[in-house]
Amino acid sequence: MTLRRSFANVSVLKLRVPFLVLACALLLASCGFKLRGEADLPDSLRQLRLDMADTGPRIKRELVAALERAGVRLMPADALDVAVLRVPVNRAYSEALTISEQARVREYAVRHRVEFEVLGADGSLLMPKQVILLERDFVFDERDALGVAGQEEALRGDLEREMVRAILRRIEAVGTSLP
């Protein structure tokens, strides 16, 4: 009798597991989740001149690639009558956060600050100056001093990619109100 009940329980479990998997799949499909695609910029910004400060981290390559993926045609620096993305401030720096009793830095913050604005083809201000400050903290391990430089470089690269995404998200958000 107990053997028969255990087989009955196993068959019920065999029916429940696919049902639960199907229910989870339906819930995920109906929640509206979708991967973020490329930025959807307005038509007035489809031809754009990038006016960027040469100082600071080199996010220009990442920004150019992201704009081109979004369908923007980048114009030369002397082009007239095109929208302009001005990035006058592009600065990355490290700062000590905590110092040990032996006067050694234990924790750093890597920061990246960008200021930008968007001008229309007629010179009008489409997006006033925006300031984005991103930062990441990391702990300095004296036993792995060689790895700290690599860790800091990886954090800077991550901040640069996130900065480009943040700039494009802001332009995209304001783009809904642009002509």
Side-chain angles (χ1 to χ4, degrees), residues 23-151:
C24 288
L26 287 173
L27 284 173
L28 282 175
S30 64
C31 76
F33 174 79
K34 64 178 182 175
L35 294 174
R36 183 181 306 162
E38 299 303 326
D40 185 23
L41 301 179
D43 290 337
S44 61
L45 298 178
R46 292 295 172 184
Q47 288 190 345
L48 187 70
R49 187 178 82 216
L50 183 59
D51 182 13
M52 188 165 189
D54 288 335
T55 61
R58 296 175 294 268
I59 67 167
K60 186 172 185 175
R61 183 179 61 229
E62 295 268 346
L63 188 56
V64 164
L67 286 168
E68 288 175 346
R69 283 191 309 267
V72 173
R73 183 171 164 229
L74 290 171
M75 305 303 285
D78 58 351
L80 301 174
D81 297 329
V82 294
V84 179
L85 171 58
R86 290 190 57 236
V87 185
V89 176
N90 177 27
R91 188 171 156 238
Y93 53 97
S94 298
E95 202 171 85
L97 291 180
T98 58
I99 299 176
S100 70
E101 301 85 29
Q102 293 84 20
R104 294 187 177 145
V105 176
R106 291 293 207 191
E107 192 175 17
Y108 284 97
V110 178
R111 295 191 170 109
H112 190 165
R113 177 188 169 99
V114 167
E115 295 178 14
F116 69 98
E117 64 185 356
V118 179
L119 304 173
D122 59 354
S124 63
L125 187 64
L126 298 179
M127 175 186 257
K129 182 171 79 170
Q130 304 280 311
V131 178
I132 301 175
L133 176 63
L134 299 176
E135 64 181 71
R136 300 284 188 277
D137 302 339
F138 73 95
V139 178
F140 178 74
D141 185 6
E142 293 177 3
R143 294 170 295 182
D144 189 22
L146 294 176
V148 171
Q151 182 180 6

